[in-house]
Amino acid sequence: MQFLQKTAQLLIQSYYDRRILVITLLGFSCGLPLLLTASTLGYWLAQAQISLTKIGLMSMAVLPYTIKFLWAPLVDRLRLPGLTRWLGRRRAWLFLSQSLLIIFLFCLSQLNPAFHLEQIVIFVFLIAFASATQDIVMLAYQVERLQRSEYGAGEAAGIFGYRLGILLAGAGAFYLASFLTWNKVYLIMTGFQCIGLVTTLCATEPKPIQNPESELREKKAREYLLTHPRLKGWQGVILSWIYGAIIAPFHDFIKQSGWLASLFIMFFYKCGDNLIGSMGNIYFNKLGFTNIEIANGSKIFGLWAAILGGFIGGLIVKRYGMLKSLFWCGTFHGLTALGFILLGLVGHNSLIFYLVIALDSISGGMRITALFAYQMTLCSPSYAATQLALLTSTTHLGRVIFSSPSGWIVERLGWNNLFYLATFATIPALMVIYYLSYIKKEKLWV
């Protein structure tokens, strides 16, 4: 009883904060578009008799998630006429990206996969671009609004909202699709996307965090370029801006020891989940589970289990540190992919179905919180938008690359081989985490 009371007190102290509420709602706005361009969309396309190979290749349409670091410097430094003066640097970009999301989701809701597959690909790409831009700003906002010691709690809260968005885009969409057309379902989802817009208008603009060392380096570069005899006035201004917005953030990042290993972790850490990709719901349907059963189990129950795992992950990060949390959460989650094989052996069994989903979702929530909290420790607050965009782009690049062949693997090798691959795909990232713990002299076993 005393343990439960202490745990409850720790949870309240960590998560009860107005800033945490804003981050939760912004997380919801970031999570909603994801499934609408991934597994939910894949299920809609499967119902329209689109081949599994084409559905798997649809993940290439979310390419903007993987290259968002290319325009992150603009988001970090460029002022939007009118909007920046009205809302501030971060909220102006949030407002713009969320407005575009609403427009593009509405357009997607008007299309029929049987006749407009090419147009669907285009709008999925545009939604991914707007959503990726929103992610850039939201993470930078989170870094600037929280203290370093609050990153674990903030990330858990952000993932909580993110998961709620996934719940709505997953289970909510499946429930609605049982008595509405998918076009109407997507139209309703467009309305819920407005929550992010309202949150942005009500939120407080964070104060920029300056790093004296970074400011001095940029000042010296600016003075050199503006006074260089071979550069005219406007050329020096442009080059100094390019240095501050693009070169300085990446230079600052690669000065860290182990930066390449960190990028490797971003790319491979979720490899198992990415291999399964949008095939999970299709697999459940092949085993005889109905839309409602999938919504109840995979979406609603799984979502709340993942949220629980996210909060547990936040406490684990706070208690045991980053690398140890990354290693053990990743190990636990990698093993849960074998549960899908067990489910295939027993067939349409609700008990095993919920057990597999519970283990997979709780461990997945723990792992994602550990990963995203680790990302924030790798970034300088002065360059948060650009550096976080680089890290999350690498993570999404892994999702695109490893989820693209998922349909092909199922059609050529079968479901069991897909899940075996997903289990062993965790090992490369765990080896690199062990390497980082070795060079940083952090023990993983104690």
Side-chain angles (χ1 to χ4, degrees):
M1 182 62 68
Q2 188 176 7
F3 170 77
L4 293 177
Q5 290 177 345
K6 289 183 178 180
T7 302
Q9 290 175 355
L10 181 59
L11 283 169
I12 293 172
Q13 293 172 359
S14 300
Y15 299 112
Y16 183 72
D17 193 307
R18 183 179 182 276
R19 298 169 301 164
I20 299 297
L21 175 60
V22 170
I23 290 171
T24 300
L25 294 175
L26 290 178
F28 171 85
S29 183
C30 291
L32 186 64
L34 187 65
L35 286 193
L36 297 179
T37 57
S39 61
T40 297
L41 178 65
Y43 194 85
W44 179 17
L45 297 180
Q47 296 295 299
Q49 305 303 313
I50 305 299
S51 72
L52 294 183
T53 298
K54 288 183 178 179
I55 294 174
L57 291 174
M58 278 290 293
S59 60
M60 297 298 292
V62 296
L63 180 65
Y65 282 111
T66 71
I67 58 174
K68 60 186 176 182
F69 64 91
L70 295 178
W71 68 90
L74 295 177
V75 175
D76 216 0
R77 296 294 180 104
L78 188 63
R79 294 176 61 87
L80 297 173
L83 286 178
T84 301
R85 178 177 297 180
W86 174 37
L87 297 171
R89 181 178 59 155
R90 297 304 185 198
R91 292 198 302 150
W93 278 101
L94 280 172
F95 182 88
L96 176 62
S97 60
Q98 290 161 349
S99 299
L100 291 175
L101 268 174
I102 292 169
I103 294 171
F104 297 148
L105 280 171
F106 174 80
C107 293
L108 182 61
S109 72
Q110 306 303 304
L111 300 176
N112 186 333
F115 304 104
H116 307 118
L117 188 59
E118 294 81 4
Q119 291 91 329
I120 286 177
V121 172
I122 292 172
F123 278 107
V124 167
F125 180 88
L126 293 174
I127 291 169
F129 179 83
S131 182
T133 303
Q134 179 184 221
D135 289 350
I136 293 171
V137 195
M138 188 271 186
L139 289 173
Y141 180 93
Q142 187 171 334
V143 169
E144 292 177 348
R145 286 292 286 162
L146 300 177
Q147 301 295 323
R148 188 180 182 90
S149 61
E150 299 171 321
Y151 285 168
E155 193 53 48
I159 291 177
F160 171 64
Y162 189 86
R163 294 286 187 180
L164 289 179
I166 289 178
L167 173 64
L168 184 61
F174 273 65
Y175 273 120
L176 292 172
S178 65
F179 58 89
L180 295 175
T181 66
W182 278 105
N183 297 90
K184 291 182 179 179
V185 170
Y186 269 70
L187 184 61
I188 293 172
M189 296 298 116
T190 303
F192 279 104
Q193 189 63 50
C194 296
I195 291 176
L197 201 63
V198 174
T199 301
T200 296
L201 294 175
C202 297
T204 301
E205 176 70 13
K207 296 180 180 179
I209 301 175
Q210 301 297 335
N211 185 316
E213 180 182 348
S214 302
E215 285 185 323
L216 179 61
R217 188 165 54 246
E218 287 190 41
K219 180 181 178 181
K220 289 182 178 180
R222 183 166 53 252
E223 290 175 349
Y224 172 80
L225 293 169
L226 291 176
T227 58
H228 196 283
R230 294 186 180 181
L231 297 176
K232 297 180 181 180
W234 65 271
Q235 291 176 329
V237 172
I238 292 176
L239 289 176
S240 64
W241 186 89
I242 291 175
Y243 176 84
I246 301 175
I247 298 175
F250 292 106
H251 178 258
D252 180 83
F253 179 75
I254 64 177
K255 287 196 311 177
Q256 302 181 50
S257 62
W259 66 272
L260 191 58
S262 299
L263 289 180
F264 186 93
I265 293 172
M266 298 301 116
F267 185 75
F268 281 100
Y269 194 66
K270 296 176 64 180
C271 183
D273 274 356
N274 295 334
L275 276 172
I276 296 174
S278 59
M279 297 294 115
N281 292 330
I282 299 173
Y283 177 67
F284 296 144
N285 186 250
K286 292 288 184 182
L287 294 179
F289 293 96
T290 65
N291 288 1
I292 298 299
E293 287 177 314
I294 294 173
N296 286 334
S298 177
K299 302 301 181 180
I300 295 181
F301 176 77
L303 189 282
W304 287 108
I307 289 172
L308 173 62
F311 285 115
I312 293 173
L315 296 177
I316 290 175
V317 169
K318 188 172 184 178
R319 173 65 178 82
Y320 296 104
M322 293 297 171
L323 293 180
K324 184 180 291 187
S325 302
L326 276 175
F327 185 87
W328 290 109
C329 291
T331 300
F332 182 29
H333 185 71
L335 294 174
T336 61
L338 296 174
F340 288 89
I341 298 175
L342 173 63
L343 182 62
L345 293 174
V346 300
H348 189 278
N349 185 299
S350 296
L351 178 61
I352 302 300
F353 176 59
Y354 276 89
L355 176 62
V356 169
I357 289 174
L359 293 174
D360 182 69
S361 300
I362 292 175
S363 62
M366 294 163 54
R367 183 199 56 171
I368 291 176
T369 297
L371 177 65
F372 287 176
Y374 175 62
Q375 286 179 351
M376 292 185 181
T377 65
L378 299 174
C379 297
S380 167
S382 301
Y383 306 118
T386 302
Q387 292 179 349
L388 282 170
L390 173 64
L391 293 170
T392 55
S393 291
T394 307
T395 302
H396 284 293
L397 177 61
R399 180 165 73 92
V400 170
I401 289 179
F402 293 116
S403 64
S404 297
S406 58
W408 182 90
I409 292 173
V410 171
E411 291 180 337
R412 299 295 191 281
L413 304 178
W415 289 103
N416 282 357
N417 285 325
L418 175 69
F419 299 130
Y420 281 126
L421 286 172
T423 299
F424 289 104
T426 309
I427 295 176
L430 297 179
M431 293 175 63
V432 174
I433 295 169
Y434 178 80
Y435 164 75
L436 285 178
S437 70
Y438 177 77
I439 63 175
K440 294 184 178 182
K441 298 181 180 180
E442 294 185 21
K443 295 182 180 180
L444 298 178
W445 320 111
V446 180

